[in-house]
Amino acid sequence: MNSPARAALTLVAVITVISPLTACAAPLERSGAPADPFTLSSTWGNGPGGIGSDVLSAIAESDVAPEATVSEPVDDSRAPVDDYEGATITLLQEGAVDFSVVRADRLVMAGAHSLAPLQAPLSVFGPDHAAAIAASPIAEDLMADLPDIGLVGVAVVPGGTRRLFGYHEGLLESSDFAGAVINTRVGPGADAIFSALGAQTEHSTGDDRTERAAAGTSRGIEVSLQQVGAVDLPAVMTTNVDLYTKFDVVVVRKAAWDALTSGQRAALREKVAAGEKTAEAERPTDAEALSKWCGSPGASTATATAAQLATITDALTSVRDDVRRDPAAAEALDRFAALAPKAAPDELTGCEQSASDGDDSLEPVGDQTVLDGTWRLEITLDNLLAAGMPRAEALGNVGVWTFSIVDGRGVVDQPHGDDCVTQFTFAGEDFSFDWDAGKTGACYGLGRGTYRVDGNRAYFEFTSERDYDAAWDTALFAEGLVRIG
């Protein structure tokens, strides 16, 4: 299966003029006056798949407030860029598109400085606290500077607690960061955190990021448990360091917003709220995501001692104090503190034991060339969601995959990421399938089951899967492989 956070980040411009649509009977505005239907064009904020993108997809698919239409973002398969969100902001500012969901820290870099408190470390404590901030009137104040960069904020959406993952060895105290390079997304908030710890940041994606991890050029990565597909293995997660909470912002091009009536704006807010709720409900909790992490080969955890933790906390305190030098930011942080739950969030437990690199594949028996050739696999979102795959992960897998197979080994062109190297192993009607036989990290999963070939189609029923629910693999192959060569 595709490693969702490694999916290719693509640019798209879907241009739709903001104007009332013809209708026989216009719905009433929330104020009681008629509201004309309208459409906003959208583009991915940080690529299809992942946290933030799930919000945009859910908004576009929502049937709430039907007079407000947000177009489905389109993947035009351009090459990935390390600062995808910056390109999205440019598209919005130039008027190529109207609507997106973009990470708060990247908007700060673009000039929306009122969002800076959201990235202050030691300020947001767990998902309940993040949700309270996003639902509070403080969210409107945090978005106050967006019009300065040609945008209007509709909502602030929590995007998960950011955690430390060290390649090969854990990142447990400030000395572990001295002179190190850490992979982050682009933004001044993340840069300030790692600068205070004595590290530098880099923002590579895809093959470049994987090569840096393998070569030791990057010491680790900061990311949420909901996006551990971005972590190259082997790696160690630090269980008790919560760097900060990522927030995403639902934004509209200011000129498009200004063209909407009050009733249309209210309808759009309803649709956004419904999409946000859907996306957040479908995400795994930290505990669920940690269980998945612990089940991955090469994944493990470590817990910093009190003395080690104090060295990191001291460094992060200086970053938070720097944010507070702005009086408006200091006020925002005080309001965050007032919203903090009385009970501290549950501490994460570690993995009971590091996952092994054990081989769950079958021993080959008989003909291994039964699938030799070129095959097409179409993966649909509905099948994946029906199997219980979280929307963020599902979006990274949807599309047409092409398998070129020789002796069961396949080079796979996937729609949103780097090529996978896979391996089918056959024993009668049984098979095993290794999504990452080439150890590239572009895909992951190792499952078993039964198969049948019917003419130019091959069908697979998975009965076990090492890394996740076997039903997900069955859903991925639900339409069958279709021979095309």
Side-chain angles (χ1 to χ4, degrees):
M1 183 171 67
N2 173 277
S3 296
R6 295 190 182 95
L9 303 181
T10 55
L11 297 177
V12 54
V14 182
I15 302 173
T16 303
V17 176
I18 303 298
S19 60
L21 302 180
T22 301
C24 295
L28 292 181
E29 289 190 7
R30 277 67 189 165
S31 62
D36 290 315
F38 65 97
T39 296
L40 299 176
S41 59
S42 75
T43 183
W44 295 116
N46 59 0
I51 303 301
S53 296
D54 59 346
V55 176
L56 178 56
S57 179
I59 292 170
E61 294 175 5
S62 174
D63 57 6
V64 171
E67 62 268 44
T69 298
V70 174
S71 70
E72 290 281 352
V74 178
D75 177 5
D76 69 352
S77 301
R78 298 184 190 177
V81 294
D82 292 349
D83 185 17
Y84 186 95
E85 293 160 308
T88 296
I89 293 169
T90 298
L91 288 176
L92 288 160
Q93 292 172 329
E94 293 177 347
V97 289
D98 306 317
F99 188 93
S100 193
V101 179
V102 182
R103 192 169 41 92
D105 201 20
R106 186 58 183 82
L107 290 164
V108 172
M109 184 175 175
H113 301 293
S114 57
L115 292 163
L118 290 172
Q119 287 69 237
L122 308 177
S123 302
V124 182
F125 305 101
D128 290 343
H129 191 195
I133 291 169
S136 166
I138 185 62
E140 288 291 335
D141 296 336
L142 291 166
M143 296 186 288
D145 285 356
L146 284 168
D148 294 345
I149 60 172
L151 304 175
V152 172
V154 181
V156 171
V157 186
T161 301
R162 304 297 274 195
R163 304 183 189 278
L164 291 169
F165 294 80
Y167 294 134
H168 299 282
E169 296 180 354
L171 295 162
L172 302 175
E173 57 187 329
S174 60
S175 61
D176 292 333
F177 295 88
V181 176
I182 306 296
N183 182 269
T184 72
R185 294 297 84 232
V186 176
D191 286 349
I193 285 171
F194 288 101
S195 177
L197 289 166
Q200 296 180 337
T201 59
E202 64 90 13
H203 315 299
S204 61
T205 61
D207 282 349
D208 187 14
R209 181 173 59 199
T210 296
E211 290 168 4
R212 286 172 177 267
T217 304
S218 288
R219 176 67 176 82
I221 184 173
E222 62 95 357
V223 73
S224 70
L225 276 164
Q226 287 75 18
Q227 294 188 279
V228 290
V231 183
D232 291 288
L233 299 170
V236 182
M237 189 200 81
T238 307
T239 64
N240 57 338
V241 175
D242 301 351
L243 290 174
Y244 65 100
T245 293
K246 187 197 88 163
F247 286 86
D248 296 296
V249 185
V250 181
V251 292
V252 181
R253 183 169 58 89
K254 186 176 184 301
W257 178 262
D258 290 345
L260 300 178
T261 66
S262 61
Q264 288 172 327
R265 293 175 184 177
L268 181 61
R269 289 187 186 278
E270 286 186 21
K271 184 174 287 288
V272 167
E276 175 186 347
K277 183 177 180 180
T278 296
E280 290 185 305
E282 292 179 350
R283 294 173 184 170
T285 65
D286 280 354
E288 291 168 340
L290 178 62
S291 177
K292 173 184 173 180
W293 167 255
C294 291
S296 300
S300 59
T301 58
T303 300
T305 67
Q308 290 173 323
L309 187 59
T311 67
I312 294 178
T313 300
D314 287 347
L316 298 184
T317 298
S318 70
V319 179
R320 183 190 59 192
D321 290 346
D322 284 344
V323 175
R324 293 187 67 91
R325 295 181 191 279
D326 176 0
E331 179 185 354
L333 292 177
D334 289 341
R335 293 170 71 181
F336 288 5
L339 293 168
K342 293 181 179 179
D346 293 338
E347 293 186 1
L348 292 178
T349 59
C351 302
E352 292 183 5
Q353 59 184 13
S354 298
S356 71
D357 290 319
D359 184 4
D360 294 336
S361 61
L362 291 174
E363 289 296 322
V365 177
D367 185 8
Q368 300 299 302
T369 68
V370 292
L371 291 184
D372 279 14
T374 304
W375 301 77
R376 180 182 184 274
L377 175 67
E378 183 171 3
I379 297 177
T380 68
L381 181 62
D382 287 346
N383 285 337
L384 301 186
L385 295 180
M389 185 181 292
R391 179 180 298 271
E393 190 146 8
L395 287 170
N397 289 282
V398 169
V400 175
W401 300 55
T402 303
F403 290 68
S404 300
I405 302 173
V406 177
D407 294 330
R409 193 172 186 86
V411 175
V412 184
D413 179 13
Q414 58 169 312
H416 301 307
D418 304 321
D419 290 351
C420 306
V421 178
T422 64
Q423 182 68 54
F424 283 100
T425 302
F426 304 101
E429 294 181 351
D430 297 327
F431 77 97
S432 65
F433 181 62
D434 186 350
W435 280 98
D436 192 28
K439 307 302 180 187
T440 65
C443 293
Y444 69 102
L446 177 56
R448 290 192 186 196
T450 59
Y451 81 101
R452 63 184 176 87
V453 177
D454 185 1
N456 286 327
R457 286 184 180 265
Y459 298 95
F460 304 87
E461 184 73 26
F462 285 79
T463 56
S464 66
E465 169 56 61
R466 181 189 63 191
D467 295 342
Y468 44 82
D469 189 339
W472 295 5
D473 269 339
T474 297
L476 288 162
F477 281 93
E479 305 301 321
L481 286 176
V482 180
R483 185 185 292 277
I484 58 175

